[in-house]
Amino acid sequence: MATTDPGCPSRAGDTPHQHADDGLADPEQAADFIRQFHHEQPEHGSPGPRLRNVLTEIEHTGTYTHTQQELLFGARVAWRNAARCTGRFYWRSLAIRDCRHLNDPEQIAQACFTHLREAHNNGHAHALMTVFPPDKPGSPGPRILNRELASYAGHVAADGSVLGEIRNAGLTATARELGWFPAGGPSRFDLLPLLIQTGPGKPPRLFPHPAETVHEVPLTHPDFGWFGELGLRWYSIIAICNLSLEIGGIRYPSAPQSGWPVETAIGLPLTDSNRYDVLPDVARGMGLDTTRDATLWKDRAAVEVHVALLHSFRSAGFSITDHHTEARRFLIHVEREHAAGRPVPADWSWIVPPISAATTPVFHRYYDPVDPARRPAIVPRTPWHSP
């Protein structure tokens, strides 16, 4: 799961799938999934017996329980269907941690920390998803309120400016209300604690990361000694946790997923003028003329930020890949899927990297259209509903 953007693995579409918000499983979706599972994995035999059991379970309880094999297959296909992710070349390698039995916030937090440790894997990151309880009739599944299992806080100053990650300003305010305050005072790179909520109307619980859970990489440059003095850094594992996993009519509102980052996934928040906005500082260090856009100072500085990311992660012994490599691998994935008779839904605006777009092979072609109703999928999480 090469993470190309903090929103990757991608959403199947921008509109959440229209199914009941009461946790009831849709029998038609369940049947479609069971047939797909047995069709793509014929070693499991005819779908008939399992299909009858599933439909009976739905009739009696309003929902059903995936087997571990179904859960793994569904998670992998959800990634395969992720229209905004270039890392789908690796979809068959996804491993899952089945944590559907955990409901206590403390246990969920510890499972999230274990995810970060296992995904980091001594620097050799691998694609991993941890699946927590699904929504059930009258009993919604727990939710991790953070965007990512590891992320930086955004501190709002009195003048309205934000120190740190502006996207996390709201969640940072909530954490502060719950008593969290960074040791040493606010800075640009304070790890935001996990906030976990187990039901609508219930107050979230706050869990700071234990030591050695998050591995951060100080950013340096192979040619610019001054670059390290900028004090930039980033975490080694991008683990998205604010999307829902939907498989066969069952919705898992907390299913953190991670892989190894593409350098653009980190370069984007660092260079975005509405987020960390490091380009002016980098340009000044390079001695560039920043008075006119025509000098292309932003472009030149952005490239060096990406050079620094690749250099720093590799020097630390941590997994990272570049957008050119992942673009080539994505087209291999497209060829493989078409050879298997399957479409490859892709959102062009997300498949094409945010830097040096036209120099990558994914830029010069179109892709299969995105069907927002396609399942299994990783989709935007709907707001809390009353049980």
Side-chain angles (χ1 to χ4, degrees):
M1 187 178 297
T3 310
T4 55
D5 185 88
C8 175
S10 72
R11 297 167 275 280
D14 285 335
T15 304
H17 189 55
Q18 299 299 314
H19 71 82
D21 278 340
D22 52 13
L24 293 171
D26 185 322
E28 183 177 345
Q29 291 184 53
D32 288 344
F33 171 69
I34 296 302
R35 293 189 185 101
Q36 181 183 12
F37 174 81
H38 286 267
H39 173 73
E40 293 195 30
Q41 301 189 112
E43 67 272 17
H44 290 285
S46 169
R50 175 59 176 157
L51 184 55
R52 287 190 292 272
N53 289 338
V54 165
L55 295 179
T56 298
E57 190 175 352
I58 293 175
E59 182 179 359
H60 290 163
T61 69
T63 188
Y64 69 106
T65 301
H66 290 128
T67 67
Q68 285 196 337
Q69 294 89 344
E70 290 167 352
L71 184 65
L72 176 59
F73 173 77
R76 287 176 172 175
V77 174
W79 181 13
R80 191 176 77 192
N81 289 337
R84 292 180 172 179
C85 183
T86 60
R88 287 177 275 170
F89 174 85
Y90 313 93
W91 70 271
R92 289 184 178 86
S93 70
L94 177 67
I96 65 166
R97 299 175 61 247
D98 186 353
C99 291
R100 290 177 290 175
H101 60 290
L102 300 181
N103 286 287
D104 177 73
E106 175 72 35
Q107 294 177 331
I108 292 170
Q110 293 305 317
C112 290
F113 299 143
T114 298
H115 178 114
L116 288 171
R117 295 187 189 99
E118 291 189 6
H120 179 73
N121 192 31
N122 295 318
H124 305 289
H126 63 103
L128 183 65
M129 178 183 289
T130 297
V131 183
F132 292 107
D135 289 339
K136 295 181 179 180
S139 178
R143 299 189 178 194
I144 304 161
L145 302 186
N146 307 61
R147 291 175 180 269
E148 304 171 41
L149 294 185
S151 61
Y152 294 124
H155 306 282
V156 181
D159 62 0
S161 63
V162 176
L163 179 66
E165 174 58 276
I166 190 170
R167 296 200 313 172
N168 288 331
L171 199 61
T172 301
T174 299
R176 294 282 290 270
E177 291 171 1
L178 294 172
W180 175 75
F181 193 79
S187 74
R188 287 195 297 172
F189 297 102
D190 296 320
L191 283 173
L192 187 63
L194 290 184
L195 280 82
I196 297 172
Q197 193 172 17
T198 56
K202 294 184 179 180
R205 293 274 305 278
L206 184 151
F207 300 93
H209 295 77
E212 303 303 320
T213 299
V214 179
H215 298 267
E216 295 180 275
V217 181
L219 301 188
T220 61
H221 194 284
D223 302 317
F224 303 145
W226 52 263
F227 197 98
E229 298 174 5
L230 297 178
L232 307 177
R233 63 179 185 265
W234 211 260
Y235 38 89
S236 68
I237 296 298
I238 297 175
I240 309 300
C241 57
N242 67 335
L243 303 175
S244 291
L245 171 66
E246 291 192 4
I247 303 172
I250 302 291
R251 178 172 52 201
Y252 299 92
S254 290
Q257 61 247 218
S258 62
W260 47 96
V262 180
E263 101 285 0
T264 50
I266 306 170
L268 180 63
L270 286 176
T271 60
D272 189 333
S273 61
N274 293 316
R275 295 173 71 179
Y276 277 91
D277 193 24
V278 304
L279 292 185
D281 291 336
V282 174
R284 280 191 289 270
M286 295 173 64
L288 302 179
D289 177 4
T290 62
T291 62
R292 297 175 295 120
D293 287 342
T295 65
L296 301 185
W297 66 270
K298 295 178 184 177
D299 308 72
R300 295 169 66 186
V303 168
E304 299 306 333
V305 170
H306 288 71
V307 169
L309 284 165
L310 292 165
H311 166 76
S312 301
F313 270 67
R314 289 169 178 166
S315 296
F318 295 165
S319 298
I320 195 167
T321 185
D322 66 272
H323 55 286
H324 294 285
T325 297
E326 292 312 312
R328 290 194 300 270
R329 289 174 179 169
F330 180 71
L331 292 187
I332 295 173
H333 167 73
V334 172
E335 294 173 0
R336 288 178 177 176
E337 288 298 295
H338 285 171
R342 293 190 291 259
V344 183
D347 183 334
W348 188 92
S349 64
W350 281 66
I351 294 300
V352 174
I355 187 171
S356 306
T359 66
T360 63
V362 293
F363 179 88
H364 304 281
R365 57 167 295 161
Y366 295 103
Y367 301 94
D368 294 313
V370 177
D371 178 5
R374 190 177 185 85
R375 295 296 183 271
I378 299 163
V379 300
R381 190 164 60 194
T382 56
W384 277 114
H385 57 276
S386 299

